[in-house]
Amino acid sequence: MIDRQIPQERLDFLWLLAYTAALVFILRLVNLQVLGGAHYREIAEKNRTQIIAQAAPRGRIFSSDEVALVTSKPSFSLIYFPGQAKTVPEIDRMAKALARPLGADYEDLRKNIYKAASREKPVRLAENLPPKIMLALSELKAIYPGVDVIVEARRYYPFGPYLSHLVGYIGKMDPKEWASRARDKNYSMDSRLGKAGLEQMYEKELKGKDGGIYLEVDSRGKLNRVLESRKWIPGADIFLTIDSKAQAAAEEGLQKSISGKGAVVALDPRTGAVLAFVSMPDYDPNMFVLSGSEKEGLAAGKILPEFNVALQGSYPPGSIFKIITGAAILESGRVRPDEKFHCPGWYDAGSRVFKCWEKKGHGDVAFIEGLAKSCDVYFYNASQRAGALAIEKQARAFRLGQISGIPLSGEKPGNVFGPSLRAAKKSYWFIGDTLNQAIGQGETLMTPMQAAGEIAAVANGGIFHRPYYVDRIVRSDGQMILPPRKPETLSRVQLKEGTWALIREGLRSVVQEGTGQAGKIAGAEIYGKTGTAQNPQGKDHAWFVAYATINNEPSKIAVAVLVEHGEHGASAAVPIAKAVIEAALRAELPSGAKPAPEPALPQGQKLLLPPATQARGVL
C-alpha cells in the first residue's frame, strides 16, 4: 500500500497561503469600508444624483462711505424637468406656449423638450431671462408641470466703467484656469472667475459656495425625482479705502478734459490709503457678464483698454519734478533761498540756448518765486550749482526708479535720469543734460502713482507708505477675514526742516499767486505744483500735484493728475485736482462749497442693492 501522507512542511505552507489570502481579503475590506468608504460613497452618490448648479453671489465691493460699487443681481433660467410621460401634442403645445414669451425658435425649443423627455433628464431651455417676461412664464408654470424658473446670481457693476481699472472684471474660465481648478468642487467648466483687478486678486474671498438642485437618477441616468434644493453661501464683502465722491469727481473731471485720457491718483498722506484711482481710457465690466437685451446702451465693439495709465504710464514729469530739484538745491547749501537769478526768458548754455516757458522772462527770481512761477531759468542756474548728482540722489530718495508697492500687477518703476548711470555706461554727461534733468525732462520718467507718492511725502514730512486700497474683508456671517490694516512705511526722505518749510511755502505760493491759482479752495490751504511735459509724439502732457490742509491739521489728501495731451497743467489738470480735494474734504469745508458729485448710474438704471449698513439678503 502506497503511503500518501502529505509532508508537514507542505501543510504548513498551504495554511500560510490561506492565512495570507484571508489577511489580504480583510485588509481590502477595511480599505473599501473604512479607509476609502467616504471616497466610494461619493462615487456612488455621483452615480445616483445629478446637480443643476446655481451660482452663488460673489462678495460685494463697497467704497469707504459704503456705496455698493460691485454687487450681484438675480439671473433667471428656465428649466424643464421631465416627469410623467407626455404625448406629442402636449409637448408641441408646451413648446409653442413657451416660444412666444421667450422669443425663441419654436422648432429648437420643441427639439430640446423632446430630447429631455426621451432621456428623462432636465434641460435648461433659456438663461438670463429679462424680468419683463417672468409674469408670463409664471402663468405657464401652473399650466405645464415640469416647467420651472431657478434663480442664480450674476455679477453686476451698477456704475459701469466706474473704478474699472481697480475693480477688474470676471469671465468664463479658459482651459488653463479650469485645469488648475478641476478638483475644486466649487467650480465647473462654465464657472466665471476674476480675470483682472480686485476680482482676480481676491477670487478666493469673493467666490461664494454654489448651491444647486439635486436630482435622483436611476442606473441609466434617467430622472426619478428632485431630492432637494441646497442654498448657496455668498462670498465675502470687500470694503475699500476709495471715497466714492472723490472717485466720481476724478472720473468726471478726466472725462471732460481736453483729451479724456490720463490718470488721477489720490492718497491719504497719513496712511497710504488710496482715496481715488482713475485710469482712462476705461471700460465697462458689464460687457463680460451681460447678454442679449441687457447689452443695449453699451458701446458696440469697444476694445478692452487693459493698459493702466496710473501704474503703467511712464511720462516726463515736467515741472512737478522741480519739487525734487528744489530739495537738491536747498540741501546742497550752494544756493541761498533768497539768492536771485535773472530770467530774461532764456538761458545760454554755450552750444545751445534753453528757453523758459515764459518767453518775456520772469526778471530777478529767488527760490520761492521760482517755484511759484515755475521759472525754468531759475532752476537752470541753481541746478548747475547744486550738481546733477545731487538731483539724482534726491530723485532716488523720492523713489523714482522703484515701484510704489501697491498690490496690483504690472506697475512700472519710471526712470531715474542722472550722471551715475551715464558713468556706468562709460558715457558723457553734458551741461544740457543737467538743465533737462532740473526741469523734469530728458530721460526722467514718472508714473501718476509715483507723482502721488511724491506730493504725499511732501505733505507728511517725507514718508512713503505702501499704497493700499482694501480696508477690510467681511464674510457673509459677519466674521472679519481681513481686519483694518496699519500703515506700512517703505522709506523716508531725510531733509532739513528748513528745506521742507521752504518747499511747502513755494508750493503754497504756486496756488496763491503762481501757476496754480485755479486750485484755490475756500476754507482750505492748498499746496501744489503744475507741470507741462514736452511730448515728441504730439501735444504736451499736463500735470498737477497737490495736497490740502485745514486748520493746520495733518493733510488728509494728496492728489496727482495727469491729462494726456492736456497741453497746460494750469488749465487742464488743476481743476480736476480741485474737484477731487473738494469732494474728499466735503464734510470739513464751508457749507457754501460746491456739492460733491455722486457716482453716476448708466442712463435708465437703478441701484438694486441696499447700502452695506443694512441687513444683507441673498441677492
Side-chain angles (χ1 to χ4, degrees), residues 354-388:
F354 286 75
K355 296 181 180 180
C356 182
W357 70 268
E358 180 59 85
K359 295 180 180 179
K360 63 182 181 181
H362 291 102
D364 294 333
V365 180
F367 179 79
I368 298 296
E369 189 179 4
L371 199 57
K373 296 184 178 180
S374 199
C375 177
D376 293 331
V377 172
Y378 173 85
F379 285 92
Y380 291 152
N381 282 282
S383 64
Q384 294 283 1
R385 295 261 201 96

mmCIF file of all heavy atoms in Angstrom, residues 354-388:
data_model
loop_
_atom_site.group_PDB
_atom_site.id
_atom_site.type_symbol
_atom_site.label_atom_id
_atom_site.label_comp_id
_atom_site.label_asym_id
_atom_site.label_seq_id
_atom_site.Cartn_x
_atom_site.Cartn_y
_atom_site.Cartn_z
ATOM 1 N N PHE A 354 18.666 127.457 -23.988
ATOM 2 C CA PHE A 354 17.495 126.812 -23.390
ATOM 3 C C PHE A 354 16.485 127.893 -22.995
ATOM 4 O O PHE A 354 16.846 128.872 -22.333
ATOM 5 C CB PHE A 354 17.897 126.002 -22.150
ATOM 6 C CG PHE A 354 18.614 124.721 -22.481
ATOM 7 C CD1 PHE A 354 19.941 124.739 -22.903
ATOM 8 C CD2 PHE A 354 17.960 123.508 -22.383
ATOM 9 C CE1 PHE A 354 20.599 123.563 -23.210
ATOM 10 C CE2 PHE A 354 18.614 122.319 -22.690
ATOM 11 C CZ PHE A 354 19.931 122.346 -23.110
ATOM 12 N N LYS A 355 15.248 127.702 -23.386
ATOM 13 C CA LYS A 355 14.231 128.725 -23.157
ATOM 14 C C LYS A 355 13.437 128.467 -21.884
ATOM 15 O O LYS A 355 13.299 127.333 -21.439
ATOM 16 C CB LYS A 355 13.274 128.789 -24.351
ATOM 17 C CG LYS A 355 13.945 129.234 -25.642
ATOM 18 C CD LYS A 355 12.942 129.298 -26.777
ATOM 19 C CE LYS A 355 13.610 129.753 -28.075
ATOM 20 N NZ LYS A 355 12.648 129.815 -29.201
ATOM 21 N N CYS A 356 12.907 129.551 -21.324
ATOM 22 C CA CYS A 356 11.939 129.460 -20.230
ATOM 23 C C CYS A 356 10.547 129.408 -20.858
ATOM 24 O O CYS A 356 10.335 129.923 -21.969
ATOM 25 C CB CYS A 356 12.057 130.679 -19.309
ATOM 26 S SG CYS A 356 10.935 130.633 -17.876
ATOM 27 N N TRP A 357 9.595 128.798 -20.147
ATOM 28 C CA TRP A 357 8.246 128.726 -20.714
ATOM 29 C C TRP A 357 7.645 130.120 -20.871
ATOM 30 O O TRP A 357 6.820 130.355 -21.756
ATOM 31 C CB TRP A 357 7.341 127.859 -19.831
ATOM 32 C CG TRP A 357 6.990 128.479 -18.496
ATOM 33 C CD1 TRP A 357 7.645 128.334 -17.325
ATOM 34 C CD2 TRP A 357 5.891 129.362 -18.232
ATOM 35 N NE1 TRP A 357 7.047 129.065 -16.330
ATOM 36 C CE2 TRP A 357 5.953 129.702 -16.861
ATOM 37 C CE3 TRP A 357 4.867 129.900 -18.999
ATOM 38 C CZ2 TRP A 357 5.037 130.551 -16.247
ATOM 39 C CZ3 TRP A 357 3.937 130.746 -18.394
ATOM 40 C CH2 TRP A 357 4.027 131.064 -17.033
ATOM 41 N N GLU A 358 8.083 131.064 -20.010
ATOM 42 C CA GLU A 358 7.627 132.449 -20.110
ATOM 43 C C GLU A 358 8.608 133.197 -21.017
ATOM 44 O O GLU A 358 9.712 133.563 -20.601
ATOM 45 C CB GLU A 358 7.575 133.087 -18.719
ATOM 46 C CG GLU A 358 7.117 134.537 -18.701
ATOM 47 C CD GLU A 358 5.740 134.745 -19.285
ATOM 48 O OE1 GLU A 358 4.744 134.577 -18.555
ATOM 49 O OE2 GLU A 358 5.679 135.066 -20.507
ATOM 50 N N LYS A 359 8.202 133.412 -22.260
ATOM 51 C CA LYS A 359 9.120 133.963 -23.260
ATOM 52 C C LYS A 359 9.640 135.350 -22.898
ATOM 53 O O LYS A 359 10.779 135.700 -23.220
ATOM 54 C CB LYS A 359 8.420 134.008 -24.619
ATOM 55 C CG LYS A 359 8.088 132.623 -25.162
ATOM 56 C CD LYS A 359 7.385 132.708 -26.507
ATOM 57 C CE LYS A 359 7.050 131.316 -27.034
ATOM 58 N NZ LYS A 359 6.331 131.371 -28.334
ATOM 59 N N LYS A 360 8.818 136.165 -22.227
ATOM 60 C CA LYS A 360 9.256 137.516 -21.879
ATOM 61 C C LYS A 360 10.101 137.538 -20.615
ATOM 62 O O LYS A 360 10.648 138.583 -20.234
ATOM 63 C CB LYS A 360 8.055 138.438 -21.717
ATOM 64 C CG LYS A 360 7.115 138.062 -20.582
ATOM 65 C CD LYS A 360 5.919 139.004 -20.525
ATOM 66 C CE LYS A 360 4.985 138.642 -19.368
ATOM 67 N NZ LYS A 360 3.802 139.539 -19.326
ATOM 68 N N GLY A 361 10.231 136.398 -19.953
ATOM 69 C CA GLY A 361 11.078 136.292 -18.771
ATOM 70 C C GLY A 361 10.357 136.642 -17.480
ATOM 71 O O GLY A 361 9.279 137.249 -17.480
ATOM 72 N N HIS A 362 10.969 136.238 -16.348
ATOM 73 C CA HIS A 362 10.398 136.499 -15.023
ATOM 74 C C HIS A 362 11.157 137.574 -14.256
ATOM 75 O O HIS A 362 10.796 137.903 -13.126
ATOM 76 C CB HIS A 362 10.406 135.209 -14.189
ATOM 77 C CG HIS A 362 9.441 134.168 -14.677
ATOM 78 N ND1 HIS A 362 9.833 133.073 -15.412
ATOM 79 C CD2 HIS A 362 8.092 134.064 -14.539
ATOM 80 C CE1 HIS A 362 8.781 132.315 -15.700
ATOM 81 N NE2 HIS A 362 7.710 132.900 -15.186
ATOM 82 N N GLY A 363 12.239 138.092 -14.827
ATOM 83 C CA GLY A 363 13.040 139.073 -14.107
ATOM 84 C C GLY A 363 13.912 138.396 -13.064
ATOM 85 O O GLY A 363 14.340 137.249 -13.230
ATOM 86 N N ASP A 364 14.177 139.089 -11.960
ATOM 87 C CA ASP A 364 15.006 138.537 -10.886
ATOM 88 C C ASP A 364 14.156 137.629 -9.999
ATOM 89 O O ASP A 364 13.127 138.054 -9.453
ATOM 90 C CB ASP A 364 15.610 139.667 -10.049
ATOM 91 C CG ASP A 364 16.597 140.496 -10.864
ATOM 92 O OD1 ASP A 364 17.182 139.939 -11.825
ATOM 93 O OD2 ASP A 364 16.775 141.685 -10.547
ATOM 94 N N VAL A 365 14.602 136.386 -9.842
ATOM 95 C CA VAL A 365 13.783 135.368 -9.167
ATOM 96 C C VAL A 365 14.612 134.627 -8.120
ATOM 97 O O VAL A 365 15.727 134.180 -8.399
ATOM 98 C CB VAL A 365 13.230 134.349 -10.195
ATOM 99 C CG1 VAL A 365 12.380 133.299 -9.500
ATOM 100 C CG2 VAL A 365 12.422 135.050 -11.274
ATOM 101 N N ALA A 366 14.043 134.496 -6.885
ATOM 102 C CA ALA A 366 14.639 133.662 -5.832
ATOM 103 C C ALA A 366 13.854 132.348 -5.750
ATOM 104 O O ALA A 366 12.954 132.088 -6.555
ATOM 105 C CB ALA A 366 14.612 134.405 -4.503
ATOM 106 N N PHE A 367 14.164 131.517 -4.746
ATOM 107 C CA PHE A 367 13.621 130.153 -4.711
ATOM 108 C C PHE A 367 12.095 130.121 -4.669
ATOM 109 O O PHE A 367 11.464 129.433 -5.486
ATOM 110 C CB PHE A 367 14.189 129.390 -3.508
ATOM 111 C CG PHE A 367 13.640 127.992 -3.400
ATOM 112 C CD1 PHE A 367 14.133 126.971 -4.192
ATOM 113 C CD2 PHE A 367 12.597 127.697 -2.526
ATOM 114 C CE1 PHE A 367 13.614 125.684 -4.118
ATOM 115 C CE2 PHE A 367 12.072 126.413 -2.436
ATOM 116 C CZ PHE A 367 12.585 125.404 -3.238
ATOM 117 N N ILE A 368 11.474 130.827 -3.712
ATOM 118 C CA ILE A 368 10.016 130.748 -3.547
ATOM 119 C C ILE A 368 9.314 131.190 -4.823
ATOM 120 O O ILE A 368 8.408 130.512 -5.329
ATOM 121 C CB ILE A 368 9.546 131.617 -2.356
ATOM 122 C CG1 ILE A 368 10.153 131.115 -1.042
ATOM 123 C CG2 ILE A 368 8.027 131.630 -2.274
ATOM 124 C CD1 ILE A 368 9.719 129.736 -0.640
ATOM 125 N N GLU A 369 9.747 132.324 -5.371
ATOM 126 C CA GLU A 369 9.122 132.831 -6.596
ATOM 127 C C GLU A 369 9.430 131.920 -7.781
ATOM 128 O O GLU A 369 8.588 131.719 -8.660
ATOM 129 C CB GLU A 369 9.609 134.253 -6.884
ATOM 130 C CG GLU A 369 8.839 134.934 -8.003
ATOM 131 C CD GLU A 369 9.312 136.353 -8.249
ATOM 132 O OE1 GLU A 369 10.296 136.778 -7.597
ATOM 133 O OE2 GLU A 369 8.712 137.037 -9.095
ATOM 134 N N GLY A 370 10.633 131.344 -7.798
ATOM 135 C CA GLY A 370 10.991 130.436 -8.883
ATOM 136 C C GLY A 370 10.090 129.213 -8.914
ATOM 137 O O GLY A 370 9.692 128.742 -9.989
ATOM 138 N N LEU A 371 9.737 128.699 -7.724
ATOM 139 C CA LEU A 371 8.840 127.553 -7.657
ATOM 140 C C LEU A 371 7.402 127.978 -7.962
ATOM 141 O O LEU A 371 6.681 127.284 -8.688
ATOM 142 C CB LEU A 371 8.923 126.920 -6.262
ATOM 143 C CG LEU A 371 8.430 125.472 -6.113
ATOM 144 C CD1 LEU A 371 9.170 124.537 -7.059
ATOM 145 C CD2 LEU A 371 8.595 125.005 -4.669
ATOM 146 N N ALA A 372 7.001 129.133 -7.420
ATOM 147 C CA ALA A 372 5.629 129.604 -7.610
ATOM 148 C C ALA A 372 5.327 129.875 -9.079
ATOM 149 O O ALA A 372 4.245 129.534 -9.576
ATOM 150 C CB ALA A 372 5.390 130.868 -6.783
ATOM 151 N N LYS A 373 6.281 130.483 -9.785
ATOM 152 C CA LYS A 373 6.071 130.829 -11.191
ATOM 153 C C LYS A 373 6.659 129.793 -12.140
ATOM 154 O O LYS A 373 6.609 129.967 -13.358
ATOM 155 C CB LYS A 373 6.663 132.206 -11.474
ATOM 156 C CG LYS A 373 5.954 133.323 -10.698
ATOM 157 C CD LYS A 373 6.497 134.689 -11.062
ATOM 158 C CE LYS A 373 5.736 135.790 -10.322
ATOM 159 N NZ LYS A 373 6.259 137.143 -10.656
ATOM 160 N N SER A 374 7.223 128.727 -11.549
ATOM 161 C CA SER A 374 7.808 127.627 -12.328
ATOM 162 C C SER A 374 8.824 128.147 -13.341
ATOM 163 O O SER A 374 8.831 127.742 -14.510
ATOM 164 C CB SER A 374 6.703 126.836 -13.047
ATOM 165 O OG SER A 374 7.171 125.562 -13.424
ATOM 166 N N CYS A 375 9.703 129.025 -12.869
ATOM 167 C CA CYS A 375 10.690 129.650 -13.749
ATOM 168 C C CYS A 375 11.793 128.658 -14.111
ATOM 169 O O CYS A 375 12.582 128.234 -13.258
ATOM 170 C CB CYS A 375 11.294 130.878 -13.066
ATOM 171 S SG CYS A 375 12.598 131.666 -14.041
ATOM 172 N N ASP A 376 11.853 128.295 -15.376
ATOM 173 C CA ASP A 376 12.861 127.335 -15.827
ATOM 174 C C ASP A 376 14.274 127.882 -15.658
ATOM 175 O O ASP A 376 15.195 127.150 -15.268
ATOM 176 C CB ASP A 376 12.624 126.973 -17.295
ATOM 177 C CG ASP A 376 11.336 126.200 -17.511
ATOM 178 O OD1 ASP A 376 10.915 125.483 -16.584
ATOM 179 O OD2 ASP A 376 10.743 126.313 -18.600
ATOM 180 N N VAL A 377 14.456 129.171 -15.945
ATOM 181 C CA VAL A 377 15.799 129.758 -15.898
ATOM 182 C C VAL A 377 16.354 129.730 -14.477
ATOM 183 O O VAL A 377 17.554 129.503 -14.273
ATOM 184 C CB VAL A 377 15.789 131.191 -16.464
ATOM 185 C CG1 VAL A 377 17.135 131.880 -16.231
ATOM 186 C CG2 VAL A 377 15.469 131.167 -17.952
ATOM 187 N N TYR A 378 15.487 129.956 -13.468
ATOM 188 C CA TYR A 378 15.965 129.847 -12.083
ATOM 189 C C TYR A 378 16.541 128.453 -11.841
ATOM 190 O O TYR A 378 17.631 128.302 -11.280
ATOM 191 C CB TYR A 378 14.842 130.126 -11.081
ATOM 192 C CG TYR A 378 15.285 129.850 -9.658
ATOM 193 C CD1 TYR A 378 15.965 130.813 -8.927
ATOM 194 C CD2 TYR A 378 15.089 128.591 -9.071
ATOM 195 C CE1 TYR A 378 16.429 130.542 -7.646
ATOM 196 C CE2 TYR A 378 15.546 128.314 -7.795
ATOM 197 C CZ TYR A 378 16.218 129.294 -7.082
ATOM 198 O OH TYR A 378 16.691 129.021 -5.820
ATOM 199 N N PHE A 379 15.815 127.424 -12.250
ATOM 200 C CA PHE A 379 16.264 126.051 -11.996
ATOM 201 C C PHE A 379 17.443 125.664 -12.880
ATOM 202 O O PHE A 379 18.262 124.825 -12.485
ATOM 203 C CB PHE A 379 15.087 125.084 -12.159
ATOM 204 C CG PHE A 379 14.131 125.133 -10.999
ATOM 205 C CD1 PHE A 379 13.028 125.974 -11.023
ATOM 206 C CD2 PHE A 379 14.359 124.380 -9.864
ATOM 207 C CE1 PHE A 379 12.160 126.038 -9.947
ATOM 208 C CE2 PHE A 379 13.498 124.438 -8.778
ATOM 209 C CZ PHE A 379 12.393 125.276 -8.811
ATOM 210 N N TYR A 380 17.572 126.279 -14.066
ATOM 211 C CA TYR A 380 18.771 126.052 -14.876
ATOM 212 C C TYR A 380 20.010 126.517 -14.107
ATOM 213 O O TYR A 380 21.013 125.800 -14.004
ATOM 214 C CB TYR A 380 18.692 126.830 -16.193
ATOM 215 C CG TYR A 380 17.655 126.349 -17.177
ATOM 216 C CD1 TYR A 380 17.084 127.239 -18.089
ATOM 217 C CD2 TYR A 380 17.270 125.017 -17.225
ATOM 218 C CE1 TYR A 380 16.149 126.817 -19.016
ATOM 219 C CE2 TYR A 380 16.329 124.581 -18.147
ATOM 220 C CZ TYR A 380 15.768 125.492 -19.037
ATOM 221 O OH TYR A 380 14.843 125.068 -19.955
ATOM 222 N N ASN A 381 19.945 127.738 -13.577
ATOM 223 C CA ASN A 381 21.085 128.305 -12.861
ATOM 224 C C ASN A 381 21.377 127.564 -11.557
ATOM 225 O O ASN A 381 22.521 127.174 -11.284
ATOM 226 C CB ASN A 381 20.819 129.785 -12.551
ATOM 227 C CG ASN A 381 21.031 130.685 -13.751
ATOM 228 O OD1 ASN A 381 22.166 131.014 -14.120
ATOM 229 N ND2 ASN A 381 19.935 131.089 -14.382
ATOM 230 N N ALA A 382 20.332 127.375 -10.747
ATOM 231 C CA ALA A 382 20.537 126.776 -9.426
ATOM 232 C C ALA A 382 20.985 125.322 -9.526
ATOM 233 O O ALA A 382 21.777 124.846 -8.699
ATOM 234 C CB ALA A 382 19.250 126.882 -8.612
ATOM 235 N N SER A 383 20.491 124.597 -10.529
ATOM 236 C CA SER A 383 20.866 123.184 -10.666
ATOM 237 C C SER A 383 22.340 123.029 -11.018
ATOM 238 O O SER A 383 22.979 122.043 -10.626
ATOM 239 C CB SER A 383 20.002 122.503 -11.732
ATOM 240 O OG SER A 383 20.242 123.065 -13.018
ATOM 241 N N GLN A 384 22.891 124.004 -11.745
ATOM 242 C CA GLN A 384 24.316 123.941 -12.074
ATOM 243 C C GLN A 384 25.152 124.050 -10.807
ATOM 244 O O GLN A 384 26.205 123.414 -10.681
ATOM 245 C CB GLN A 384 24.679 125.079 -13.037
ATOM 246 C CG GLN A 384 24.047 124.972 -14.405
ATOM 247 C CD GLN A 384 24.730 123.940 -15.294
ATOM 248 O OE1 GLN A 384 25.671 123.273 -14.882
ATOM 249 N NE2 GLN A 384 24.249 123.803 -16.506
ATOM 250 N N ARG A 385 24.674 124.835 -9.863
ATOM 251 C CA ARG A 385 25.388 124.985 -8.590
ATOM 252 C C ARG A 385 25.259 123.716 -7.744
ATOM 253 O O ARG A 385 26.231 123.246 -7.160
ATOM 254 C CB ARG A 385 24.794 126.153 -7.806
ATOM 255 C CG ARG A 385 24.987 127.502 -8.455
ATOM 256 C CD ARG A 385 26.158 128.262 -7.841
ATOM 257 N NE ARG A 385 26.008 129.682 -8.110
ATOM 258 C CZ ARG A 385 25.473 130.549 -7.263
ATOM 259 N NH1 ARG A 385 25.040 130.141 -6.078
ATOM 260 N NH2 ARG A 385 25.373 131.826 -7.596
ATOM 261 N N ALA A 386 24.048 123.194 -7.645
ATOM 262 C CA ALA A 386 23.801 122.018 -6.794
ATOM 263 C C ALA A 386 24.470 120.773 -7.354
ATOM 264 O O ALA A 386 24.980 119.936 -6.600
ATOM 265 C CB ALA A 386 22.301 121.790 -6.642
ATOM 266 N N GLY A 387 24.437 120.628 -8.668
ATOM 267 C CA GLY A 387 25.056 119.469 -9.309
ATOM 268 C C GLY A 387 24.042 118.399 -9.667
ATOM 269 O O GLY A 387 23.089 118.135 -8.924
ATOM 270 N N ALA A 388 24.264 117.783 -10.813
ATOM 271 C CA ALA A 388 23.338 116.765 -11.314
ATOM 272 C C ALA A 388 23.288 115.539 -10.408
ATOM 273 O O ALA A 388 22.244 114.896 -10.259
ATOM 274 C CB ALA A 388 23.740 116.353 -12.731
#
